[in-house]
Amino acid sequence: MNAELFINVAPDEMNIALMEDKRLVELRKEKRNVQFEVGDIYIGKVHKVMPGLNAAFVNIGYEKDAFLHYLDLGPQFKTLQKFLQQVIERRTDNSLPHVKRENDIEKDGAIADVLSPGQEVLVQVVKEPISTKGPRLTSEISIAGRNLVLIPFSDKVSISKKIKSGEEKSRLKKLVNRMKPKDFGVIIRTVAAGKDEAELEEEFKYILQRWDECMSRVREVRPPSLALGEMERSSVMLRDLLSPDFNSIYVDDAAFYEETKKYVDQIAPDRTDIVKLYTGKLPMFENFNIEKQIRQSCGKTVSFKSGAYLIIETTEALNVIDVNSGNRSKSAPDQENNAFEVNLAAAEEIARQLRLRDMGGIVVVDFIDMQTAEHRTKLFEKMRECMAPDRTKHNILPLSKFGLMQITRQRVRPVMTIDTTEVCPMCNGTGKTSMQIDIKEAIEHAIEHAIEENANGKAYVRCHPYIYAYLKKGFPSQIMKWKAKYGLNSVKVVPSDALGVVEYKVN
């Protein structure tokens, strides 16, 4: 598989696209001034304790209080609280061995037994604010690196189930047990397989240093305050995704290119050559066909194979996907086989759409009805196979007797929605157009102005593909006439899918 990451940096937003074999599979549109991200650690203050919910609402500085359930406190919550108080009162350094471990809290205990209003707590964001809800929190703190995850107040060393070799598991556990201090637990991630001791030790020192930074910050600030922020989303994606399949990371901002290259050098020194600075004239997403795929894939209706299509509706309660055969109704020998073929192709597209839109919560898929039990079983297996690369936790149930498949997918941030509709460029939404529109004259006037203003005496024109085809039509074409009039190399015209029908840009 050929994987490429594209990072488009704008003043107020960062767009991150992941392509696998030239096909868009993940897209992130992140506001650069976003306040809360999954992984952020806060020193908060309990606002309300709700015995009926067995949970508490915690003020961490958001407009709505964050939600902390009793089951998310973690067994060693009392030890964490004791340590937190000692750090705040400056009676201990940032290490843990000086803190006497308290008994684990009861699994079926009550929130009022361990929390009270006004109490200061160390918490970590596990879900971003969604709709009218505030962030979701946990007190089981973890600090993630590329190969290792640090878990304070735990002595356990866990290892990814995806590492199959018993010998490699044993080697990694011995290495980590030798380097970790007392009262720190570690999760060994899949990518740690094959890594040498020096690299793992270097990373372990780094995440320990981040823990120390967090505790130093706790001493200095008053709640509610951020104690330790997660990295930029692009860095998080690189940390979690970077693999031998990656052959290119394109960045269109020089400063962020240097940051990305530096980070890749830290986590994979032998892969820094895959980071590339994009300097093309066309916007990067247009040049690599990403913009077109976004428009085709993020609307309410999504076509996927030989005329078949999906209808996708998202509500706060659940997501609904309807599979339609479209004009494929006669492509198979009989209705049953046609339905089976369409459903198999739909399973691939649905798995892609869940990743692309980051759809979470409950997803109900209405597949085309099939009567054969074997076909229904094969469709279920196909769906599981297609969802296997999805890193987000999910669960898939077999088809019900009504032909519905239920999928749950962990939701940690709002579903990404992209408005693929636009105001009609001909009438600007009024329903009325001018009787005469001479696009040629308008563009030529802009070309003259650009040539006069530019030091190099050149004009670069972008227009909709329809207008581009119109300007190229005939011999001599309008573009050829402009080149003859203003100079062969003075005018360059290119098509752009991102522009409206009569929209153009000249610079």
Side-chain angles (χ1 to χ4, degrees), residues 242-406:
L242 192 62
S243 71
D245 293 330
F246 264 63
N247 69 347
S248 298
I249 299 170
Y250 290 95
V251 186
D252 64 359
D253 178 83
F256 200 78
Y257 162 76
E258 294 297 336
E259 290 181 30
T260 304
K261 196 164 186 176
K262 184 179 178 181
Y263 181 70
V264 173
D265 185 50
Q266 289 176 353
I267 64 174
D270 58 329
R271 307 294 311 282
T272 52
D273 60 323
I274 67 174
V275 183
K276 302 169 184 176
L277 178 63
Y278 176 76
T279 56
K281 288 188 175 181
L282 272 178
M284 184 171 65
F285 276 23
E286 279 189 51
N287 188 61
F288 289 98
N289 203 34
I290 298 171
E291 193 71 40
K292 184 177 180 181
Q293 290 197 48
I294 291 173
R295 289 174 176 267
Q296 290 175 340
S297 303
C298 294
K300 179 180 175 181
T301 302
V302 179
S303 299
F304 60 92
K305 195 171 185 180
S306 302
Y309 62 95
L310 306 175
I311 302 290
I312 302 176
E313 296 276 6
T314 296
T315 70
E316 190 165 344
L318 51 83
N319 305 281
V320 181
I321 302 176
D322 183 35
V323 180
N324 296 275
S325 60
N327 58 14
R328 276 185 54 97
S329 56
K330 295 182 180 179
S331 60
D334 55 66
Q335 183 178 354
E336 175 72 14
N337 282 305
N338 181 69
F340 180 56
E341 288 179 12
V342 173
N343 286 340
L344 289 181
E348 294 182 12
E349 183 61 29
I350 289 167
R352 172 178 172 250
Q353 287 291 328
L354 295 183
R355 289 177 66 188
L356 183 59
R357 303 179 189 225
D358 202 11
M359 294 168 68
I362 299 171
V363 181
V364 178
V365 184
D366 182 11
F367 284 104
I368 300 171
D369 289 340
M370 297 181 297
Q371 305 303 319
T372 308
E374 182 185 1
H375 284 170
R376 295 159 72 92
T377 302
K378 285 184 177 179
L379 176 59
F380 173 59
E381 291 172 352
K382 177 70 173 179
M383 195 73 227
R384 292 179 65 181
E385 177 189 332
C386 295
M387 290 285 290
D390 193 341
R391 306 182 314 280
T392 304
K393 291 180 182 178
H394 59 269
N395 189 32
I396 307 169
L397 296 181
L399 285 169
S400 71
K401 64 180 180 180
F402 299 115
L404 302 177
M405 181 177 287
Q406 299 171 68

Side-chain angles (χ1 to χ4, degrees), residues 20-73:
E20 292 179 355
D21 296 327
K22 304 298 181 182
R23 197 163 178 243
L24 182 64
V25 293
E26 288 192 32
L27 182 67
R28 297 279 187 274
K29 287 183 173 287
E30 310 293 351
K31 297 294 182 184
R32 301 194 69 181
N33 60 349
V34 66
Q35 188 177 2
F36 292 93
E37 293 187 13
V38 173
D40 287 349
I41 300 174
Y42 283 83
I43 173 76
K45 184 172 284 190
V46 178
H47 185 205
K48 290 180 184 178
V49 174
M50 307 292 288
L53 299 174
N54 205 20
F57 287 99
V58 181
N59 178 12
I60 60 171
Y62 188 63
E63 57 187 273
K64 290 186 177 291
D65 289 336
F67 184 79
L68 177 63
H69 194 273
Y70 181 86
L71 295 177
D72 293 322
L73 294 177

